[in-house]
Amino acid sequence: MERVLLVGANLNDGEDYLTSLEELGALAEACDMEVAGVTSQTLDAVHKAFYIGTGKVDEVRQMAQDLGADVIIFDNSLSPMQMRNLQERLEKPILDRSALILDIFARRARSREAKLQVEVARLQYMLPRLVGLHAALSRQGGASGSMSSRGAGETKLELDRRVLEKRLAELRRELKEVGNERETQRKRRVKSGLPRVALVGYTNAGKSTLLNAMLDLYGADEGEDTEKHVLEKDMLFATLDTTVRKIMPPDHHAFLLSDTVGFIHKLPHNLVEAFQSTLEEAKEADLLIQVVDYSDEHYKEQIAVTNQTLKKLQADGVPMLYIYNKSDLVSTDALPGLSGVPAEELTAHLPVMTKAHGELAVGACEGISGEGIYLSAKKRIGMEELVCLIEEKLSGGYKECTFLIPYADGRAVSYLNENAVVFETEYAEEGVRMRVNCKKEDYGYYRKYAQE
């Protein structure tokens, strides 16, 4: 296992650099690295040549030798010049935060699309940083002119650039094909008429755990098909691939639930760009569920990062619920309305509903109104209340009504049984009387059978 030295900078810009360094350590561990040490420097401005001060560079070099660090990781994106200069002075492999995240994504990608997206992001990251990678080769070999007048280092650089650019073009063509397939699948899901709900949020907040909980309780196969589950692990970026599953809660409307890639502070722009097609699931959803790790003391900052990323994706206009997950791990004093409740009684009081992040109402399936819910996906606490909330947020497109359908139109009865919530069915002499809650579009289509 490689030992790494983490280097950060306090730029007095309002950001919590210590928290960022702690998160960098978690990223390194997610990449199977061991954190040997951490150091930082307070700066008025970033050093253009080395990011940190020249004196600090020498200190980092000595510290890496003393700790036996194999790699030095900086908690910010380094410019090509900074990376080249640091490589020469520190004489150790250098990574910045972006490169580390890209490495994790490369290790975790499973689907063809995810692998293509990660490779595109890595090549975009590498292209401007080719200079200096062939320092062992000779420099400029002659006057300006053709490739033949250049030294071996310059020639190698140009060849590498051409190879990378050619590969990048090939990958973009492949991604376009995969994107067309995904668009076809998306159109098919839209045609199904089922509402689309997307899980979003900071990495390791519990999105995959929530999806699996929904599948166990309300999955189309009643939780029997474990292959429909996604990997859930207490690790940053445990899953990358977007997964879409059909959820069918009893006495509620079915909907499609998708799990998207998690966000993180300083997420590389190239990754957001490369995963644009995958993240379209969030942009085109009818409802977003932002899963928040409420046990993390920095959860408010994580919400802000998620909202900023959604804004970049132009998904900030989609209706959203806030799910304060892992609430069973916090002190009851930290839960609104539960101050003083003994910890052993907490599960009996969860979930607590939030209304506009202010007024509170204890969760009951009828009359729920709010923008969020405190729950525990792992312990399956609050799932029924969450389903009620989802139903409420999506209810604008539904209408409760009664149809009297002639026996000759058995297709209509079958359709409503599959696509509406059926409260009551009566087989009368004139036909099948059904009291249902259906989509307004379906009501319009079968309005001729409606009983006002």
Side-chain angles (χ1 to χ4, degrees):
M1 181 179 289
E2 288 183 314
R3 292 170 58 81
V4 298
L5 173 61
L6 309 181
V7 182
N10 177 15
L11 299 174
N12 296 312
D13 54 2
E15 288 192 2
D16 188 343
Y17 75 100
L18 292 176
T19 299
S20 186
L21 272 171
E22 183 180 335
E23 187 174 80
L24 184 68
L27 286 169
E29 290 171 1
C31 209
D32 298 324
M33 296 175 173
E34 178 187 353
V35 178
V38 181
T39 185
S40 61
Q41 182 181 29
T42 299
L43 298 168
D44 293 328
V46 170
H47 194 288
K48 290 184 178 180
F50 294 98
Y51 186 76
I52 54 177
T54 54
K56 186 66 176 180
V57 173
D58 295 332
E59 182 185 322
V60 168
R61 179 181 177 180
Q62 187 60 50
M63 189 175 181
Q65 290 177 351
D66 294 342
L67 294 172
D70 305 297
V71 182
I72 301 173
I73 306 177
F74 285 78
D75 189 31
N76 282 88
S77 290
L78 299 174
S79 70
M81 180 179 67
Q82 289 168 345
M83 186 164 285
R84 182 179 69 249
N85 293 341
L86 287 167
Q87 192 93 43
E88 292 175 351
R89 288 282 293 270
L90 296 175
E91 298 178 342
K92 294 275 187 181
I94 304 297
L95 288 177
D96 60 11
R97 189 184 182 94
S98 296
L100 184 60
I101 293 175
L102 286 168
D103 195 7
I104 294 173
F105 271 56
R107 290 169 179 237
R108 305 281 166 74
R110 291 292 178 267
S111 69
R112 175 172 172 245
E113 183 177 22
K115 290 177 180 178
L116 290 172
Q117 290 167 327
V118 172
E119 191 174 353
V120 166
R122 293 188 81 176
L123 290 181
Q124 288 176 329
Y125 173 85
M126 287 173 61
L127 268 173
R129 291 167 173 81
L130 284 176
V131 179
L133 292 181
H134 307 290
L137 302 176
S138 61
R139 302 285 184 170
Q140 186 80 13
S144 61
S146 66
M147 183 84 75
S148 60
S149 69
R150 303 179 183 183
E154 189 73 7
T155 303
K156 178 66 175 171
L157 177 62
E158 288 296 331
L159 289 173
D160 281 356
R161 190 182 300 279
R162 290 186 181 183
V163 169
L164 292 188
E165 288 176 345
K166 182 180 178 181
R167 177 59 180 158
L168 198 53
E170 292 173 353
L171 288 170
R172 283 172 172 156
R173 281 195 295 270
E174 288 186 61
L175 262 180
K176 188 174 182 180
E177 293 175 7
V178 176
N180 291 337
E181 295 172 9
R182 176 175 287 278
E183 185 61 29
T184 300
Q185 294 173 348
R186 189 179 290 123
K187 287 180 179 178
R188 193 178 300 128
R189 290 195 291 269
V190 171
K191 195 174 181 180
S192 73
L194 292 175
R196 290 167 295 167
V197 180
L199 299 174
V200 298
Y202 213 76
T203 180
N204 206 32
K207 296 184 297 300
S208 298
T209 303
L210 182 59
L211 176 61
N212 287 339
M214 283 287 197
L215 285 172
D216 285 341
L217 297 171
Y218 314 117
D221 296 319
E222 299 180 354
E224 294 179 3
D225 187 358
T226 56
E227 290 184 3
K228 288 183 175 289
H229 286 59
V230 295
L231 173 68
E232 55 178 272
K233 196 171 183 180
D234 187 13
M235 179 186 293
L236 302 183
F237 298 116
T239 55
L240 298 181
D241 299 311
T242 296
T243 305
V244 182
R245 296 289 184 263
K246 185 176 181 179
I247 305 299
M248 301 177 65
D251 301 324
H252 294 281
H253 288 286
F255 57 90
L256 296 175
L257 184 63
S258 60
D259 180 20
T260 60
V261 63
F263 304 138
I264 197 169
H265 184 50
K266 303 174 187 174
L267 186 65
H269 174 74
N270 290 341
L271 269 179
V272 176
E273 188 178 89
F275 276 76
Q276 186 78 31
S277 61
T278 303
L279 293 169
E280 287 290 329
E281 293 292 342
K283 183 179 177 181
E284 299 191 8
D286 299 298
L287 175 67
L288 295 180
I289 295 180
Q290 183 172 160
V291 183
V292 180
D293 180 357
Y294 193 58
S295 67
D296 192 310
E297 61 180 319
H298 305 290
Y299 76 92
K300 291 183 180 179
E301 290 85 347
Q302 294 175 358
I303 291 175
V305 169
T306 300
N307 289 340
Q308 289 166 9
T309 308
L310 289 172
K311 189 171 183 178
K312 290 179 184 176
L313 295 169
Q314 298 180 332
D316 52 322
V318 181
M320 182 158 58
L321 291 175
Y322 290 87
I323 305 305
Y324 299 98
N325 191 30
K326 307 184 186 181
S327 294
D328 57 311
L329 301 180
V330 304
S331 165
T332 54
D333 293 336
L335 290 167
L338 293 184
S339 179
V341 174
E344 60 272 15
E345 298 179 17
L346 176 61
T347 55
H349 290 268
L350 282 176
V352 174
M353 312 303 298
T354 67
K355 182 177 181 182
H357 310 292
E359 299 177 42
L360 300 170
V362 177
C365 202
E366 292 185 8
I368 286 180
S369 179
E371 298 298 323
I373 179 174
Y374 296 85
L375 52 71
S376 171
K378 188 171 184 178
K379 292 187 176 179
R380 309 303 194 248
I381 300 172
M383 304 307 294
E384 173 63 21
E385 288 81 0
L386 174 58
V387 167
C388 292
L389 261 182
I390 292 173
E391 178 102 335
E392 180 186 312
K393 293 296 286 187
L394 295 173
S395 62
Y398 292 87
K399 179 176 177 65
E400 187 173 330
C401 57
T402 300
F403 293 119
L404 180 59
I405 304 171
Y407 287 110
D409 195 355
R411 182 177 297 180
V413 175
S414 176
Y415 177 85
L416 290 172
N417 276 321
E418 290 183 10
N419 296 280
V421 175
V422 180
F423 299 119
E424 186 179 352
T425 301
E426 178 188 351
Y427 293 92
E429 185 176 337
E430 305 90 341
V432 182
R433 182 175 288 106
M434 302 178 70
R435 187 168 66 86
V436 303
N437 189 357
C438 65
K439 294 192 290 291
K440 288 183 177 179
E441 294 89 338
D442 291 339
Y443 173 78
Y445 187 78
Y446 294 113
R447 188 167 187 172
K448 57 185 176 182
Y449 301 140
Q451 291 191 314
E452 303 297 340

